Amino acid sequence: GAVVSQHPSRVICKSGTSVKIECRSLDFQATTMFWYRQFPKQSLMLMATSNEGSKATYEQGVEKDKFLINHASLTLSTLTVTSAHPEDSSFYICSAPEGGQSAGNTIYFGEGSWLTVV
Amino acid sequence: GQNIDQPTEMTATEGAIVQINCTYQTSGFNGLFWYQQHAGEAPTFLSYNVLDGLEEKGRFSSFLSRSKGYSYLLLKELQMKDSASYLCVLINDYKLSFGAGTTVTVRA
């Protein structure tokens, strides 16, 4: 079946530095990918929609200059957390619908990335 | 917007059956997913309902009634590894809306 791979699975960085998280669709093309954040014991919260070849669409309250998204190809989207602070520590998850944005397609999740900012 | 309700916690015995209900109110609806999420891991796809009725996949079944804004996930022959959070997720166009999740604890 379709697989979405996310890397790194865990990362620790110093406050003020930037961290890049990659999301790859391994056996299908993903014109759209989604980035979520999940704090402990809370539901997934959509941060932004990544579109191949165009700018990402950010949800209200998400700083686009802080969470840079680049959808470089049909199989790769990256999320860069810039000038990270301890409050950015969270579980970040990407997902991609197989077959594009059609509502009838299954959406697969990456494995998630644990970010700890110290 | 969407309003999705599911119970916070459920406990059941190994080998038993548990039904997780999900009710929703939404301005748009294209389908409903159920995902399983173990602590510290990403969600795993379980089922997808678009039409009314029951979808069965092995030990897991999911039911949908669009007119009632209601779905359930049925877990049969519970195993210890089924202890996890189960997410009711709506899709409207291409956007997902997540329920808060139901934590299922399976006891021996």
Side-chain angles (χ1 to χ4, degrees):
Chain A
V3 176
V4 174
S5 177
Q6 195 171 332
H7 177 80
S9 57
R10 292 180 181 273
V11 58
I12 300 173
C13 71
K14 291 184 177 181
S15 185
T17 61
S18 295
V19 174
K20 180 185 286 187
I21 301 170
E22 293 186 348
C23 180
R24 294 180 185 272
S25 57
L26 297 185
D27 55 1
F28 67 98
Q29 293 183 332
T31 55
T32 301
M33 290 186 177
F34 304 98
W35 287 96
Y36 298 86
R37 180 165 57 182
Q38 185 177 35
F39 292 105
K41 298 185 179 181
Q42 294 186 25
S43 184
L44 291 162
M45 297 297 294
L46 179 64
M47 297 175 66
T49 302
S50 172
N51 303 298
E52 191 271 336
S54 63
K55 292 182 179 180
T57 304
Y58 289 81
E59 295 302 300
Q60 192 172 9
V62 178
E63 300 175 59
K64 60 180 68 177
D65 294 330
K66 180 170 182 62
F67 298 99
L68 300 178
I69 291 173
N70 182 20
H71 201 134
S73 73
L74 287 171
T75 59
L76 173 64
S77 175
T78 59
L79 169 68
T80 302
V81 182
T82 63
S83 186
H85 290 102
E87 55 264 32
D88 297 325
S89 299
S90 184
F91 189 44
Y92 292 86
I93 307 173
C94 69
S95 72
E98 184 183 16
Q101 290 185 11
S102 170
N105 295 314
T106 299
I107 297 179
Y108 294 93
F109 288 87
E111 301 95 332
S113 299
W114 281 103
L115 170 63
T116 303
V117 184
V118 298
Chain B
Q2 279 86 13
N3 185 25
I4 304 168
D5 289 315
Q6 53 181 126
T8 305
E9 296 180 331
M10 301 183 75
T11 302
T13 307
E14 195 174 14
I17 298 173
V18 69
Q19 178 173 313
I20 306 171
N21 295 323
C22 173
T23 58
Y24 62 88
Q25 296 170 329
T26 179
S27 56
F29 179 87
N30 292 119
L32 187 147
F33 292 96
W34 283 96
Y35 282 90
Q36 179 191 61
Q37 187 177 24
H38 286 98
E41 299 180 10
T44 302
F45 170 78
L46 292 179
S47 68
Y48 179 45
N49 291 71
V50 177
L51 302 176
D52 288 356
L54 185 68
E55 295 275 346
E56 296 188 82
K57 279 188 179 182
R59 294 190 299 115
F60 295 170
S61 303
S62 58
F63 172 83
L64 174 66
S65 170
R66 290 174 298 173
S67 61
K68 296 182 179 179
Y70 169 68
S71 173
Y72 68 73
L73 178 69
L74 193 69
L75 313 179
K76 303 174 189 175
E77 301 170 18
L78 279 173
Q79 301 175 10
M80 299 300 289
K81 66 179 182 179
D82 296 331
S83 292
S85 180
Y86 291 85
L87 305 174
C88 175
V89 183
L90 295 188
I91 184 166
N92 179 21
D93 210 355
Y94 62 89
K95 284 198 171 183
L96 299 180
S97 296
F98 291 83
T102 299
T103 300
V104 172
T105 302
V106 181
R107 294 182 174 169

Coordinates of all heavy atoms in Angstrom, one line a residue, chain A residues 32 34 36 38 43-44 46 49 59 91 93 95 101-112 114, chain B residues 30-31 33 35 37 39-45 48 50 87 91-96 98-101:
Chain A
T32 N -0.5 17.4 -3.0 CA -0.9 18.1 -1.7 C -0.4 17.2 -0.5 O -0.6 16.0 -0.5 CB -2.4 18.2 -1.6 OG1 -2.9 19.0 -2.7 CG2 -2.8 19.0 -0.3
F34 N -0.2 17.6 4.0 CA -0.7 18.4 5.1 C 0.3 18.2 6.3 O 0.8 17.2 6.5 CB -2.1 17.9 5.5 CG -3.1 17.9 4.5 CD1 -3.4 16.8 3.7 CD2 -3.8 19.1 4.1 CE1 -4.4 16.8 2.7 CE2 -4.7 19.1 3.1 CZ -5.0 18.0 2.4
Y36 N 0.6 18.7 10.4 CA -0.1 18.8 11.7 C 0.9 18.9 12.8 O 2.0 18.4 12.8 CB -1.0 17.5 11.9 CG -2.0 17.3 10.8 CD1 -1.7 16.6 9.7 CD2 -3.3 17.7 11.0 CE1 -2.7 16.4 8.7 CE2 -4.3 17.5 10.1 CZ -4.0 16.8 8.9 OH -4.9 16.6 8.0
Q38 N 0.8 18.0 17.1 CA 0.0 17.4 18.2 C 0.7 17.6 19.5 O 1.9 17.1 19.7 CB -0.2 15.9 17.9 CG -1.1 15.3 18.9 CD -1.4 13.8 18.6 OE1 -0.6 13.1 18.0 NE2 -2.6 13.3 18.9
S43 N -5.7 16.5 20.4 CA -5.9 16.1 19.0 C -4.9 16.7 18.1 O -4.3 17.7 18.4 CB -7.3 16.4 18.6 OG -7.7 15.9 17.4
L44 N -4.9 16.1 16.9 CA -4.0 16.7 15.8 C -4.6 18.0 15.4 O -5.8 18.2 15.3 CB -4.0 15.7 14.6 CG -3.3 14.4 14.8 CD1 -3.7 13.4 13.7 CD2 -1.8 14.7 14.7
L46 N -4.3 20.9 12.4 CA -3.8 21.2 11.1 C -3.0 22.5 11.1 O -3.6 23.5 11.6 CB -4.9 21.3 10.0 CG -4.5 21.6 8.6 CD1 -3.6 20.6 8.0 CD2 -5.7 21.9 7.7
T49 N -1.4 23.5 4.6 CA -1.6 22.6 3.5 C -0.5 23.0 2.5 O -0.3 24.1 2.1 CB -2.9 22.8 2.8 OG1 -4.0 22.6 3.7 CG2 -3.1 21.9 1.6
E59 N -3.1 27.7 8.3 CA -4.3 27.8 9.1 C -4.2 29.1 10.0 O -3.0 29.6 10.2 CB -4.5 26.6 10.0 CG -4.8 25.3 9.2 CD -6.0 25.5 8.3 OE1 -7.1 25.7 8.9 OE2 -5.9 25.3 7.1
F91 N 4.9 17.1 18.6 CA 4.9 16.0 17.7 C 4.4 16.6 16.3 O 3.2 17.1 16.3 CB 4.0 14.9 18.2 CG 4.1 13.6 17.4 CD1 5.3 13.1 17.0 CD2 3.0 12.9 17.2 CE1 5.4 11.9 16.3 CE2 3.0 11.7 16.5 CZ 4.2 11.2 16.1
I93 N 3.4 15.9 12.4 CA 3.0 14.8 11.5 C 2.6 15.3 10.2 O 1.9 16.3 10.1 CB 1.8 14.0 12.1 CG1 2.1 13.5 13.5 CG2 1.5 12.8 11.2 CD1 0.9 12.9 14.2
S95 N 0.8 14.3 6.3 CA -0.1 13.3 5.7 C -0.2 13.7 4.2 O 0.0 14.9 3.8 CB -1.4 13.3 6.4 OG -2.2 14.4 6.1
Q101 N -6.2 15.6 -4.2 CA -7.1 16.2 -3.2 C -8.5 15.6 -3.3 O -9.4 16.0 -2.6 CB -7.2 17.7 -3.4 CG -5.9 18.4 -3.1 CD -6.1 19.9 -3.2 OE1 -7.2 20.4 -3.3 NE2 -5.0 20.6 -3.1
S102 N -8.7 14.6 -4.1 CA -10.1 14.1 -4.2 C -10.5 13.5 -2.8 O -9.8 12.8 -2.2 CB -10.1 12.9 -5.2 OG -11.3 12.2 -5.1
A103 N -11.7 13.9 -2.5 CA -12.2 13.5 -1.1 C -12.4 12.0 -1.0 O -12.5 11.5 0.1 CB -13.5 14.2 -0.8
G104 N -12.3 11.3 -2.1 CA -12.6 9.8 -2.0 C -11.3 9.0 -1.8 O -11.4 7.8 -1.8
N105 N -10.2 9.7 -1.7 CA -8.9 8.9 -1.5 C -8.5 8.8 -0.1 O -8.7 9.7 0.7 CB -7.8 9.7 -2.3 CG -8.1 9.6 -3.8 OD1 -8.4 8.6 -4.3 ND2 -7.9 10.8 -4.4
T106 N -7.9 7.7 0.2 CA -7.4 7.5 1.6 C -6.2 8.5 1.8 O -5.4 8.7 1.0 CB -6.9 6.1 1.7 OG1 -8.0 5.2 1.5 CG2 -6.3 5.8 3.1
I107 N -6.1 9.0 3.0 CA -5.1 9.8 3.4 C -4.1 9.1 4.4 O -4.5 8.5 5.4 CB -5.6 11.1 4.1 CG1 -6.5 11.9 3.2 CG2 -4.5 12.0 4.7 CD1 -7.1 13.1 3.7
Y108 N -2.9 9.1 4.0 CA -1.8 8.3 4.8 C -1.0 9.3 5.6 O -0.7 10.4 5.1 CB -1.0 7.5 3.8 CG -1.7 6.4 3.2 CD1 -2.3 6.6 1.9 CD2 -1.9 5.2 3.8 CE1 -3.0 5.6 1.3 CE2 -2.6 4.2 3.2 CZ -3.2 4.4 2.0 OH -3.9 3.4 1.4
F109 N -0.6 8.9 6.8 CA 0.2 9.7 7.6 C 1.7 9.2 7.6 O 1.9 8.0 7.5 CB -0.3 9.7 9.1 CG -1.6 10.4 9.2 CD1 -2.8 9.8 9.0 CD2 -1.6 11.7 9.6 CE1 -4.0 10.4 9.2 CE2 -2.8 12.4 9.8 CZ -4.0 11.8 9.5
G110 N 2.5 10.2 7.8 CA 3.9 9.9 8.0 C 4.1 9.4 9.5 O 3.1 9.4 10.2
E111 N 5.3 8.9 9.8 CA 5.5 8.3 11.1 C 5.5 9.4 12.2 O 5.4 9.1 13.4 CB 6.8 7.6 11.1 CG 6.9 6.4 10.1 CD 7.6 6.9 8.8 OE1 7.5 8.1 8.5 OE2 8.2 6.0 8.2
G112 N 5.7 10.7 11.9 CA 5.7 11.7 12.9 C 7.1 12.0 13.3 O 8.1 11.2 13.2
W114 N 9.2 13.9 16.5 CA 9.2 14.5 17.8 C 10.3 15.6 17.8 O 11.5 15.3 17.7 CB 9.6 13.5 18.9 CG 8.4 12.6 19.3 CD1 8.2 11.3 18.9 CD2 7.3 13.0 20.1 NE1 7.0 10.8 19.4 CE2 6.5 11.8 20.2 CE3 7.0 14.1 20.8 CZ2 5.3 11.8 20.9 CZ3 5.8 14.1 21.5 CH2 5.0 13.0 21.6
Chain B
N30 N -17.7 14.8 3.1 CA -17.4 13.9 2.0 C -17.0 12.5 2.4 O -17.0 11.6 1.6 CB -16.1 14.5 1.2 CG -16.5 15.7 0.5 OD1 -15.9 16.8 0.8 ND2 -17.4 15.7 -0.4
G31 N -16.8 12.3 3.7 CA -16.5 11.0 4.2 C -16.0 11.0 5.6 O -15.8 12.1 6.2
F33 N -13.3 9.0 8.4 CA -12.3 8.0 8.6 C -12.3 7.6 10.1 O -12.6 8.4 11.0 CB -10.9 8.7 8.4 CG -10.6 9.0 6.9 CD1 -10.8 10.2 6.4 CD2 -10.0 8.0 6.1 CE1 -10.5 10.6 5.1 CE2 -9.7 8.3 4.8 CZ -10.0 9.6 4.3
Y35 N -9.1 6.3 12.6 CA -7.7 6.0 12.7 C -7.4 5.5 14.1 O -8.1 5.8 15.1 CB -6.9 7.3 12.5 CG -6.8 7.7 11.1 CD1 -7.7 8.5 10.5 CD2 -5.7 7.3 10.3 CE1 -7.6 8.9 9.1 CE2 -5.5 7.7 9.0 CZ -6.5 8.5 8.4 OH -6.4 8.8 7.1
Q37 N -4.4 5.4 16.9 CA -3.1 6.0 17.3 C -2.6 5.5 18.6 O -3.3 5.7 19.6 CB -3.3 7.5 17.3 CG -2.0 8.3 17.5 CD -2.1 9.8 17.5 OE1 -3.2 10.3 17.8 NE2 -1.0 10.5 17.2
A39 N 0.2 5.7 21.6 CA 0.8 6.8 22.3 C 2.2 7.1 21.6 O 3.0 6.2 21.5 CB 1.0 6.6 23.8
G40 N 2.4 8.3 21.2 CA 3.7 8.7 20.7 C 3.9 8.3 19.2 O 5.0 8.5 18.7
E41 N 2.9 7.8 18.6 CA 3.1 7.4 17.2 C 2.1 8.1 16.3 O 1.1 8.7 16.8 CB 2.9 5.8 17.1 CG 3.9 5.0 17.9 CD 3.6 3.5 17.7 OE1 2.8 3.1 16.8 OE2 4.3 2.8 18.4
A42 N 2.3 8.1 15.0 CA 1.4 8.7 14.1 C 0.1 7.8 13.9 O 0.1 6.6 14.2 CB 2.0 8.9 12.7
P43 N -1.0 8.4 13.5 CA -2.2 7.6 13.3 C -2.1 6.6 12.2 O -1.4 6.8 11.2 CB -3.3 8.7 13.0 CG -2.7 10.0 13.4 CD -1.2 9.8 13.3
T44 N -2.8 5.5 12.4 CA -2.8 4.5 11.3 C -4.2 4.3 10.8 O -5.2 4.3 11.6 CB -2.4 3.1 11.9 OG1 -1.1 3.2 12.5 CG2 -2.4 2.0 10.9
F45 N -4.4 4.3 9.5 CA -5.7 4.2 8.9 C -6.4 2.9 9.2 O -5.8 1.8 9.2 CB -5.5 4.3 7.4 CG -6.7 4.0 6.6 CD1 -7.7 4.9 6.4 CD2 -6.9 2.7 5.9 CE1 -8.9 4.6 5.7 CE2 -8.0 2.5 5.2 CZ -9.0 3.4 5.1
Y48 N -12.7 3.8 6.1 CA -13.2 5.0 5.5 C -14.6 4.7 5.0 O -14.8 3.8 4.2 CB -12.3 5.4 4.3 CG -12.7 6.6 3.5 CD1 -13.1 7.8 4.2 CD2 -12.7 6.6 2.1 CE1 -13.5 8.9 3.5 CE2 -13.1 7.7 1.4 CZ -13.5 8.9 2.1 OH -13.8 10.0 1.4
V50 N -18.0 6.4 3.2 CA -18.6 7.5 2.4 C -20.1 7.3 2.3 O -20.8 8.3 2.5 CB -18.0 7.5 1.0 CG1 -18.6 8.6 0.1 CG2 -16.5 7.7 1.0
L87 N -9.4 7.7 16.6 CA -9.8 9.0 16.2 C -10.9 8.9 15.1 O -10.8 8.2 14.1 CB -8.6 9.7 15.6 CG -7.4 9.8 16.4 CD1 -6.2 10.5 15.6 CD2 -7.7 10.7 17.7
I91 N -13.8 14.2 6.7 CA -13.2 14.9 5.6 C -14.2 15.7 4.8 O -15.3 15.2 4.4 CB -12.4 14.0 4.6 CG1 -11.7 14.7 3.6 CG2 -13.4 12.9 4.0 CD1 -10.7 13.9 2.8
N92 N -14.0 17.0 4.7 CA -14.8 17.9 3.9 C -14.0 18.5 2.8 O -13.0 19.2 3.1 CB -15.4 19.0 4.8 CG -16.3 20.0 4.1 OD1 -16.7 19.6 3.0 ND2 -16.5 21.1 4.6
D93 N -14.3 18.2 1.6 CA -13.4 18.6 0.5 C -12.1 17.9 0.7 O -12.0 16.7 0.6 CB -13.2 20.1 0.4 CG -13.0 20.6 -1.0 OD1 -12.9 19.7 -1.9 OD2 -12.9 21.8 -1.2
Y94 N -11.0 18.5 1.0 CA -9.8 17.8 1.3 C -9.3 18.0 2.7 O -8.2 17.6 3.0 CB -8.7 18.2 0.3 CG -8.3 19.7 0.3 CD1 -7.3 20.1 1.2 CD2 -9.0 20.6 -0.5 CE1 -7.0 21.4 1.3 CE2 -8.6 21.9 -0.4 CZ -7.6 22.4 0.5 OH -7.3 23.7 0.5
K95 N -10.0 18.7 3.5 CA -9.6 19.0 4.8 C -10.1 18.0 5.8 O -11.3 17.7 5.8 CB -10.0 20.4 5.2 CG -9.2 21.5 4.6 CD -9.4 22.8 5.4 CE -8.4 23.9 4.9 NZ -8.5 25.1 5.6
L96 N -9.2 17.6 6.7 CA -9.6 16.7 7.8 C -10.0 17.5 9.1 O -9.4 18.5 9.4 CB -8.5 15.7 8.1 CG -8.0 14.8 7.0 CD1 -6.8 14.0 7.6 CD2 -9.1 13.9 6.5
F98 N -10.6 16.5 13.1 CA -10.4 15.3 14.0 C -11.2 15.5 15.3 O -11.4 16.5 15.9 CB -8.9 15.3 14.5 CG -7.9 15.0 13.4 CD1 -7.5 15.9 12.5 CD2 -7.5 13.7 13.3 CE1 -6.6 15.6 11.5 CE2 -6.6 13.3 12.3 CZ -6.1 14.3 11.4
G99 N -11.8 14.3 15.7 CA -12.4 14.2 17.0 C -11.2 14.2 18.0 O -10.1 14.0 17.6
A100 N -11.6 14.3 19.3 CA -10.5 14.4 20.3 C -9.9 13.0 20.6 O -8.9 12.9 21.2 CB -11.1 14.9 21.6
G101 N -10.6 12.0 20.1 CA -10.1 10.6 20.3 C -10.7 9.9 21.5 O -11.0 10.5 22.5

